[in-house]
Amino acid sequence: MGRVLARELTARTDLPAFDTSAMDGWAVAGAGPWRVRGQVLAGQRAAGALGEGEAVRIATGAAVPEGATAVVRREDGRVEPDADGGTLHAGRPPRPGQDIRPRGQECRAGDLLMAAGRMVTPAIAGLAAAAGYDEVAVVPRPEADVLVLGDELLRSGPPRDGRVRDALGPLLPPWLAALGAGVRQVRTVGDDAEALRRAVTGSTADVVVTTGGTAAGPVDFVHPVLRRIGARLLVDGVAVRPGHPMLLALLPDGRPLVGLPGNPLAAVAGVVTLLVPVLRALAGRPAHPHPEHTARLAEEVPGHRTDTRLVPVASVPEHAGTARPLGFHGPAMLRGLAAADGMAVIPPGGAAAGAVVEVLRLGW
Ligand SMILES: Nc1nc2c(c(=O)[nH]1)N[C@H]1C(S)=C(S)[C@@H](COP(=O)(O)OP(=O)(O)OC[C@H]3O[C@@H](n4cnc5c(N)ncnc54)[C@H](O)[C@@H]3O)O[C@H]1N2
Ligand code: MOO
């Protein structure tokens, strides 16, 4: 579940695989009355062929014997007993084919049931089993290594002595899991270029995620390390606030590295705009959900002069389709995000109250 079909799902069998009774009653051949000869239950092999004027008691789901032209429901028939199984009379004559599910009604062997790339839902799992599958091939879940950079980060207790608590170590792994990725390891790496180089080159995950160190500060080592190991920068900064130093690089062996900025809400902006599409693509899904999610803004949101803004919003339960911008949305803050269900995309120049804007869902 939650994985995408790696190959198309084709029926391994006709469905139903045999002409099946849709009701409890009698399978009959031709016009009545009929001589009743024995019974056939679901799961049993079909009884011998019926001749004109013959009937057999039948259960829902049982194979209809050859020669049968219809099923008479139990409530529509009456058996007049005699020494030899009895005679069946129907209130009204059954239509030809009545209450018989013909073989292949739902699909023929080889029919395309589901295209590759579709997310396996409970219904698809059930359909695959009904159509004869014991297993289906899915695109494996992408595995991520998370490298949290910064000497100033504390792992416990309140911030002290100019140091701050690491908010991203606790935030990212469960979010990645909710996004369908596996987290191999979460490592903290001090402000040391060589340690970062070793951590990046030593990772064997499908995607490496770093936090912090993306800017041009004295101990921001992500760029120099990527340069040194020969990575190719595909995205080196984005005109978005917060999050503008985010980056996407290809490591020499072709695996992606997503560099999230250190400011926590800036890192979140990098997750929803860069990491989510990368994880979706690795999982065999379209990079962006379709249709895109939009909402009507309950209030005006001022814009940046040149860049797009991402602002945490919460949907307003009493007004479907409306989202309220939240406060405490500074790049270093998580308080607004904690109450949010998405990040609204505010174009340069801002958006008026009532404007319809795209909302990037958080996916948790
Ligand atoms: N001269 C400039 N300085 C900065 C610019 C700029 O354009 N010119 N951009 C600022 C913006 S915007 C951001 S965002 C940050 C991005 O910087 P880095 O990715 O290099 O991140 P750090 O410098 O390592 O940390 C920034 C900030 O975030 C705190 N931090 C880092 N990691 C965590 C964590 N895991 N949990 C909680 N807080 C974290 C760190 O202590 C810093 O306060 O650069 C600006 N500077
Ligand atoms: O990108 Mo920075 O995130 O504006 O804080």
Side-chain angles (χ1 to χ4, degrees):
M1 228 50 68
R3 306 261 55 88
V4 155
L5 287 175
R7 286 194 285 278
E8 62 185 20
L9 196 67
T10 51
R12 290 210 161 150
T13 168
D14 294 348
L15 275 187
F18 43 83
D19 292 345
T20 306
S21 176
M23 295 288 163
D24 296 320
W26 298 267
V28 300
W34 303 271
R35 298 288 315 148
V36 181
R37 322 172 353 208
Q39 69 170 4
V40 49
L41 300 178
Q44 294 182 340
R45 290 197 60 81
L50 288 186
E52 183 83 12
E54 290 183 330
V56 67
R57 278 193 62 191
I58 197 160
T60 303
V64 170
E66 219 168 294
T69 53
V71 166
V72 173
R73 300 183 186 191
R74 197 185 164 73
E75 55 273 32
D76 294 339
R78 178 180 50 82
V79 175
E80 194 182 304
D82 58 30
D84 185 25
T87 302
L88 169 68
H89 300 269
R92 44 196 149 89
R95 281 179 292 103
Q98 177 177 312
D99 289 327
I100 295 178
R101 295 188 194 123
R103 171 177 185 156
Q105 183 183 49
E106 189 173 359
C107 64
R108 288 286 176 190
D111 278 358
L112 176 66
L113 298 177
M114 208 50 70
R118 285 288 297 262
M119 183 70 83
V120 179
T121 60
I124 290 176
L127 175 65
Y133 282 83
D134 299 330
E135 0 185 276
V136 294
V138 294
V139 178
R141 138 189 116 152
E143 300 285 336
D145 277 344
V146 179
L147 307 178
V148 178
L149 316 186
D151 278 342
E152 76 281 23
L153 301 176
L154 295 165
R155 318 269 157 240
S156 61
R160 54 193 179 275
D161 308 327
R163 301 177 69 191
V164 296
R165 273 296 293 277
D166 167 22
L168 296 174
L171 181 152
L172 287 173
W175 194 2
L176 286 169
L179 292 170
V183 180
R184 285 256 184 95
Q185 47 173 336
V186 183
R187 283 184 55 188
T188 54
V189 180
D191 292 326
D192 170 353
E194 181 51 24
L196 177 59
R197 188 194 65 77
R198 277 200 307 272
V200 170
T201 54
S203 164
T204 55
D206 301 310
V207 54
V208 180
V209 181
T210 62
T211 70
T214 58
V219 290
D220 291 336
F221 291 126
V222 174
H223 280 99
V225 165
L226 291 178
R227 214 172 302 124
R228 180 157 157 220
I229 65 176
R232 190 152 68 89
L233 277 169
L234 301 183
V235 176
D236 190 10
V238 175
V240 67
R241 306 288 164 144
H244 78 268
M246 69 173 83
L247 60 87
L248 171 63
L250 282 187
L251 298 174
D253 60 8
R255 287 175 304 127
L257 176 145
V258 176
L260 302 174
N263 275 327
L265 196 62
V268 167
V271 171
V272 292
T273 58
L274 270 188
L275 184 56
V276 165
V278 166
L279 292 176
R280 288 178 62 103
L282 287 173
R285 302 168 66 196
H288 299 284
H290 289 289
E292 75 182 19
H293 187 74
T294 58
R296 191 173 296 282
L297 288 174
E299 294 160 26
E300 181 197 350
V301 182
H304 187 272
R305 199 171 47 80
T306 55
D307 292 358
T308 300
R309 283 186 70 201
L310 293 176
V311 175
V313 291
S315 39
V316 182
E318 18 340 320
H319 293 107
T322 299
R324 184 169 56 86
L326 299 164
F328 302 104
H329 53 237
M333 298 180 184
L334 289 175
R335 188 170 168 186
L337 182 80
D341 39 39
M343 299 278 274
V345 179
I346 307 297
V356 175
V357 296
E358 184 179 357
V359 176
L360 303 172
R361 310 267 230 160
L362 302 170
W364 60 58

